[in-house]
Amino acid sequence: MTDLDSSVTGLPVARRCPFDPPEELAALRTREPITRMRYPDGHDGWLVTGHALARAVLADPRFSARHELRHSPVPTPAKPMAAMPGVFIGMDAPDHTRYRQLINRHFTVRRVRELEPMIERVVAHRLDAMAAAGPTVDLMRAFALPVPAQIICELLGVPEESHEEIQRHRMATVDPESNPQAAMAATRATMAFMLELARRKRAEPGDDLLSGLIADGGLDDQELAGIALLMLIAGHETTANMLGLGVYLLVERPDLAEGIRGRDGALTETAVDELLRHLAVVQFASRAALTDVELDGVTVRAGETVTVSLSAANRDAARFDDPEEFRADRPSGGHLSFGHGAHQCLGQHLTRAELRIGLSALLRRFPGLRLAVSPAEIAFREAVPTVGVTRLPVSW
């Protein structure tokens, strides 16, 4: 097998519309589902844009998720390094399998259903604060960012008096105006907090995720702190950007408002799933080949990184009818917004519940919600793993 003649320098990230993937990705997918790509650090790897091939790569154990083996398709000051204990998203089997099996039972459909009253309470509290601060707020800071952060804090058993501290650390990490040093310092402070929390939970367990993992046995405090940090990062930024970008889409497209709701006025589950497919805020997943692998007529050499464009795969006409259209009644399933294979997001049921409950309550409380500035004034984060708006000023 021979390499492809065509290539691209860097992952295409520039968007004409904030709700659609870069047009260059569609052009690449039309030519071939896999393309040679030069990474920002000079590494020569591959970019996958087709849905079927994306699924194949993400499900193939010959491709590693280990952090230290992968190259980033977007510029980053961080150097590849092995995952900390407990941060299993950057591990392969058997370590990844061991951690995931311990945590899975805390994120089942049944368990998330039990958490819904807590989610509703958190959402209602933030909406009350919005109403008091209004009639104009930045939706990201007033709602989209604090809601998932507080929910993860509740899930982990973070004491209520420490919620604001954790939220400050998270804001320093996700705020585009923060410098890398401040973001790193906030991450270290969060890790130190989680390590102390794990020690406290071991001494005084409660009804929360960390206490449950301690009761199961087999994890030390460093592993528990790593798991807690991962849950906070993975459960916060993705959901926050989905809430923000989802609201942006719905206020810009009022024609969608009726089709996304059921008889009770809440968003339907199919509408939530279509938002996830259509917006795909986690725009890529990367893997490193552990051995030579043939993919669709090309040979990926051992050590080469393959980046899967999740946003491009979600718009593949070979898998979805009218993929560029938002269809609230589109049958659920098939999209790759939560990944695929062994590393498919274990918090996906929680994310769906947060989106359904959060967006439904927001639209009920503020039926006249609208942008407070022109779309041209809304900055968009593109060259990052998780895309979204930095600010979203709204009025009602």
PDB file of all heavy atoms in Angstrom, residues 86 98-99 102-103 202 210 212-214 216-224 227:
ATOM      1  N   GLY A  86      -4.932   7.468  37.819  1.00  0.00           N
ATOM      2  CA  GLY A  86      -6.357   7.762  37.860  1.00  0.00           C
ATOM      3  C   GLY A  86      -6.888   8.479  36.632  1.00  0.00           C
ATOM      4  O   GLY A  86      -8.087   8.414  36.358  1.00  0.00           O
ATOM      5  N   ARG A  98      -9.263  -1.343  34.047  1.00  0.00           N
ATOM      6  CA  ARG A  98      -9.425  -1.468  35.502  1.00  0.00           C
ATOM      7  C   ARG A  98     -10.135  -0.248  36.087  1.00  0.00           C
ATOM      8  O   ARG A  98     -11.104  -0.381  36.845  1.00  0.00           O
ATOM      9  CB  ARG A  98      -8.057  -1.639  36.172  1.00  0.00           C
ATOM     10  CG  ARG A  98      -8.115  -1.749  37.692  1.00  0.00           C
ATOM     11  CD  ARG A  98      -6.748  -2.052  38.267  1.00  0.00           C
ATOM     12  NE  ARG A  98      -5.851  -0.913  38.208  1.00  0.00           N
ATOM     13  CZ  ARG A  98      -5.733  -0.015  39.203  1.00  0.00           C
ATOM     14  NH1 ARG A  98      -6.479  -0.132  40.296  1.00  0.00           N
ATOM     15  NH2 ARG A  98      -4.887   0.981  39.086  1.00  0.00           N
ATOM     16  N   TYR A  99      -9.674   0.934  35.739  1.00  0.00           N
ATOM     17  CA  TYR A  99     -10.300   2.150  36.260  1.00  0.00           C
ATOM     18  C   TYR A  99     -11.750   2.269  35.780  1.00  0.00           C
ATOM     19  O   TYR A  99     -12.649   2.594  36.556  1.00  0.00           O
ATOM     20  CB  TYR A  99      -9.519   3.378  35.812  1.00  0.00           C
ATOM     21  CG  TYR A  99      -8.215   3.591  36.539  1.00  0.00           C
ATOM     22  CD1 TYR A  99      -7.008   3.668  35.830  1.00  0.00           C
ATOM     23  CD2 TYR A  99      -8.169   3.742  37.918  1.00  0.00           C
ATOM     24  CE1 TYR A  99      -5.812   3.885  36.488  1.00  0.00           C
ATOM     25  CE2 TYR A  99      -6.978   3.959  38.588  1.00  0.00           C
ATOM     26  CZ  TYR A  99      -5.791   4.024  37.857  1.00  0.00           C
ATOM     27  OH  TYR A  99      -4.610   4.240  38.513  1.00  0.00           O
ATOM     28  N   LEU A 102     -14.328   0.143  37.519  1.00  0.00           N
ATOM     29  CA  LEU A 102     -14.649   0.611  38.863  1.00  0.00           C
ATOM     30  C   LEU A 102     -15.639   1.780  38.841  1.00  0.00           C
ATOM     31  O   LEU A 102     -16.460   1.933  39.751  1.00  0.00           O
ATOM     32  CB  LEU A 102     -13.368   1.040  39.587  1.00  0.00           C
ATOM     33  CG  LEU A 102     -12.418  -0.077  40.039  1.00  0.00           C
ATOM     34  CD1 LEU A 102     -11.100   0.515  40.509  1.00  0.00           C
ATOM     35  CD2 LEU A 102     -13.060  -0.899  41.153  1.00  0.00           C
ATOM     36  N   ILE A 103     -15.564   2.596  37.813  1.00  0.00           N
ATOM     37  CA  ILE A 103     -16.344   3.832  37.772  1.00  0.00           C
ATOM     38  C   ILE A 103     -17.669   3.678  37.030  1.00  0.00           C
ATOM     39  O   ILE A 103     -18.625   4.412  37.295  1.00  0.00           O
ATOM     40  CB  ILE A 103     -15.493   4.953  37.121  1.00  0.00           C
ATOM     41  CG1 ILE A 103     -14.238   5.188  37.966  1.00  0.00           C
ATOM     42  CG2 ILE A 103     -16.271   6.253  36.987  1.00  0.00           C
ATOM     43  CD1 ILE A 103     -13.195   6.034  37.278  1.00  0.00           C
ATOM     44  N   ARG A 202     -11.885   9.208  52.913  1.00  0.00           N
ATOM     45  CA  ARG A 202     -11.472   7.911  53.454  1.00  0.00           C
ATOM     46  C   ARG A 202     -11.714   7.864  54.965  1.00  0.00           C
ATOM     47  O   ARG A 202     -12.081   6.820  55.522  1.00  0.00           O
ATOM     48  CB  ARG A 202      -9.991   7.668  53.141  1.00  0.00           C
ATOM     49  CG  ARG A 202      -9.568   6.213  53.308  1.00  0.00           C
ATOM     50  CD  ARG A 202      -8.115   6.012  52.898  1.00  0.00           C
ATOM     51  NE  ARG A 202      -7.874   6.177  51.477  1.00  0.00           N
ATOM     52  CZ  ARG A 202      -8.120   5.253  50.563  1.00  0.00           C
ATOM     53  NH1 ARG A 202      -8.660   4.090  50.912  1.00  0.00           N
ATOM     54  NH2 ARG A 202      -7.825   5.474  49.292  1.00  0.00           N
ATOM     55  N   LEU A 210     -16.602   9.575  45.273  1.00  0.00           N
ATOM     56  CA  LEU A 210     -15.317   9.221  45.880  1.00  0.00           C
ATOM     57  C   LEU A 210     -15.484   8.228  47.021  1.00  0.00           C
ATOM     58  O   LEU A 210     -14.722   7.265  47.129  1.00  0.00           O
ATOM     59  CB  LEU A 210     -14.609  10.482  46.376  1.00  0.00           C
ATOM     60  CG  LEU A 210     -13.940  11.364  45.314  1.00  0.00           C
ATOM     61  CD1 LEU A 210     -13.245  12.540  45.969  1.00  0.00           C
ATOM     62  CD2 LEU A 210     -12.951  10.567  44.473  1.00  0.00           C
ATOM     63  N   GLY A 212     -17.857   6.088  47.364  1.00  0.00           N
ATOM     64  CA  GLY A 212     -18.211   4.805  46.771  1.00  0.00           C
ATOM     65  C   GLY A 212     -17.002   4.080  46.230  1.00  0.00           C
ATOM     66  O   GLY A 212     -16.863   2.855  46.396  1.00  0.00           O
ATOM     67  N   LEU A 213     -16.087   4.802  45.588  1.00  0.00           N
ATOM     68  CA  LEU A 213     -14.870   4.183  45.064  1.00  0.00           C
ATOM     69  C   LEU A 213     -13.970   3.703  46.197  1.00  0.00           C
ATOM     70  O   LEU A 213     -13.333   2.653  46.091  1.00  0.00           O
ATOM     71  CB  LEU A 213     -14.123   5.184  44.183  1.00  0.00           C
ATOM     72  CG  LEU A 213     -14.804   5.550  42.869  1.00  0.00           C
ATOM     73  CD1 LEU A 213     -14.043   6.666  42.157  1.00  0.00           C
ATOM     74  CD2 LEU A 213     -14.924   4.327  41.956  1.00  0.00           C
ATOM     75  N   ILE A 214     -13.920   4.459  47.277  1.00  0.00           N
ATOM     76  CA  ILE A 214     -13.130   4.038  48.440  1.00  0.00           C
ATOM     77  C   ILE A 214     -13.704   2.746  49.028  1.00  0.00           C
ATOM     78  O   ILE A 214     -12.965   1.815  49.375  1.00  0.00           O
ATOM     79  CB  ILE A 214     -13.092   5.156  49.500  1.00  0.00           C
ATOM     80  CG1 ILE A 214     -12.249   6.322  48.990  1.00  0.00           C
ATOM     81  CG2 ILE A 214     -12.540   4.628  50.829  1.00  0.00           C
ATOM     82  CD1 ILE A 214     -12.369   7.581  49.825  1.00  0.00           C
ATOM     83  N   ASP A 216     -15.315   0.491  47.460  1.00  0.00           N
ATOM     84  CA  ASP A 216     -15.040  -0.625  46.540  1.00  0.00           C
ATOM     85  C   ASP A 216     -13.639  -1.188  46.749  1.00  0.00           C
ATOM     86  O   ASP A 216     -13.390  -2.367  46.469  1.00  0.00           O
ATOM     87  CB  ASP A 216     -15.184  -0.167  45.085  1.00  0.00           C
ATOM     88  CG  ASP A 216     -16.627   0.174  44.723  1.00  0.00           C
ATOM     89  OD1 ASP A 216     -17.534  -0.310  45.428  1.00  0.00           O
ATOM     90  OD2 ASP A 216     -16.835   0.925  43.751  1.00  0.00           O
ATOM     91  N   GLY A 217     -12.728  -0.352  47.232  1.00  0.00           N
ATOM     92  CA  GLY A 217     -11.360  -0.783  47.501  1.00  0.00           C
ATOM     93  C   GLY A 217     -10.490  -0.804  46.254  1.00  0.00           C
ATOM     94  O   GLY A 217     -10.975  -0.722  45.122  1.00  0.00           O
ATOM     95  N   GLY A 218      -9.175  -0.899  46.468  1.00  0.00           N
ATOM     96  CA  GLY A 218      -8.251  -1.068  45.362  1.00  0.00           C
ATOM     97  C   GLY A 218      -7.650   0.208  44.801  1.00  0.00           C
ATOM     98  O   GLY A 218      -6.815   0.144  43.890  1.00  0.00           O
ATOM     99  N   LEU A 219      -8.040   1.389  45.306  1.00  0.00           N
ATOM    100  CA  LEU A 219      -7.514   2.653  44.796  1.00  0.00           C
ATOM    101  C   LEU A 219      -6.843   3.427  45.923  1.00  0.00           C
ATOM    102  O   LEU A 219      -7.398   3.533  47.018  1.00  0.00           O
ATOM    103  CB  LEU A 219      -8.636   3.502  44.186  1.00  0.00           C
ATOM    104  CG  LEU A 219      -9.336   2.950  42.938  1.00  0.00           C
ATOM    105  CD1 LEU A 219     -10.531   3.822  42.583  1.00  0.00           C
ATOM    106  CD2 LEU A 219      -8.366   2.858  41.767  1.00  0.00           C
ATOM    107  N   ASP A 220      -5.653   3.977  45.649  1.00  0.00           N
ATOM    108  CA  ASP A 220      -5.019   4.814  46.659  1.00  0.00           C
ATOM    109  C   ASP A 220      -5.462   6.268  46.476  1.00  0.00           C
ATOM    110  O   ASP A 220      -6.206   6.593  45.547  1.00  0.00           O
ATOM    111  CB  ASP A 220      -3.491   4.670  46.619  1.00  0.00           C
ATOM    112  CG  ASP A 220      -2.871   5.126  45.300  1.00  0.00           C
ATOM    113  OD1 ASP A 220      -3.440   6.010  44.627  1.00  0.00           O
ATOM    114  OD2 ASP A 220      -1.791   4.603  44.940  1.00  0.00           O
ATOM    115  N   ASP A 221      -4.999   7.129  47.369  1.00  0.00           N
ATOM    116  CA  ASP A 221      -5.471   8.517  47.348  1.00  0.00           C
ATOM    117  C   ASP A 221      -5.045   9.260  46.084  1.00  0.00           C
ATOM    118  O   ASP A 221      -5.791  10.102  45.572  1.00  0.00           O
ATOM    119  CB  ASP A 221      -4.965   9.266  48.587  1.00  0.00           C
ATOM    120  CG  ASP A 221      -5.632   8.780  49.869  1.00  0.00           C
ATOM    121  OD1 ASP A 221      -6.678   8.109  49.766  1.00  0.00           O
ATOM    122  OD2 ASP A 221      -5.111   9.067  50.968  1.00  0.00           O
ATOM    123  N   GLN A 222      -3.849   8.977  45.563  1.00  0.00           N
ATOM    124  CA  GLN A 222      -3.407   9.623  44.328  1.00  0.00           C
ATOM    125  C   GLN A 222      -4.313   9.227  43.157  1.00  0.00           C
ATOM    126  O   GLN A 222      -4.663  10.068  42.325  1.00  0.00           O
ATOM    127  CB  GLN A 222      -1.953   9.239  44.012  1.00  0.00           C
ATOM    128  CG  GLN A 222      -0.913   9.899  44.902  1.00  0.00           C
ATOM    129  CD  GLN A 222      -0.706  11.373  44.547  1.00  0.00           C
ATOM    130  OE1 GLN A 222      -1.144  11.841  43.508  1.00  0.00           O
ATOM    131  NE2 GLN A 222      -0.040  12.111  45.434  1.00  0.00           N
ATOM    132  N   GLU A 223      -4.689   7.963  43.107  1.00  0.00           N
ATOM    133  CA  GLU A 223      -5.581   7.509  42.040  1.00  0.00           C
ATOM    134  C   GLU A 223      -6.960   8.145  42.178  1.00  0.00           C
ATOM    135  O   GLU A 223      -7.565   8.583  41.180  1.00  0.00           O
ATOM    136  CB  GLU A 223      -5.697   5.988  42.081  1.00  0.00           C
ATOM    137  CG  GLU A 223      -4.440   5.254  41.657  1.00  0.00           C
ATOM    138  CD  GLU A 223      -4.572   3.756  41.817  1.00  0.00           C
ATOM    139  OE1 GLU A 223      -4.884   3.312  42.943  1.00  0.00           O
ATOM    140  OE2 GLU A 223      -4.380   3.038  40.833  1.00  0.00           O
ATOM    141  N   LEU A 224      -7.457   8.224  43.401  1.00  0.00           N
ATOM    142  CA  LEU A 224      -8.768   8.849  43.631  1.00  0.00           C
ATOM    143  C   LEU A 224      -8.748  10.319  43.229  1.00  0.00           C
ATOM    144  O   LEU A 224      -9.688  10.817  42.607  1.00  0.00           O
ATOM    145  CB  LEU A 224      -9.158   8.712  45.108  1.00  0.00           C
ATOM    146  CG  LEU A 224      -9.514   7.298  45.586  1.00  0.00           C
ATOM    147  CD1 LEU A 224      -9.534   7.248  47.100  1.00  0.00           C
ATOM    148  CD2 LEU A 224     -10.878   6.876  45.019  1.00  0.00           C
ATOM    149  N   ILE A 227      -8.770  10.566  39.433  1.00  0.00           N
ATOM    150  CA  ILE A 227     -10.106  10.304  38.914  1.00  0.00           C
ATOM    151  C   ILE A 227     -10.999  11.516  39.114  1.00  0.00           C
ATOM    152  O   ILE A 227     -11.740  11.930  38.207  1.00  0.00           O
ATOM    153  CB  ILE A 227     -10.710   9.053  39.589  1.00  0.00           C
ATOM    154  CG1 ILE A 227      -9.996   7.788  39.103  1.00  0.00           C
ATOM    155  CG2 ILE A 227     -12.216   8.955  39.326  1.00  0.00           C
ATOM    156  CD1 ILE A 227     -10.351   6.550  39.887  1.00  0.00           C
TER     157      ILE A 227
END
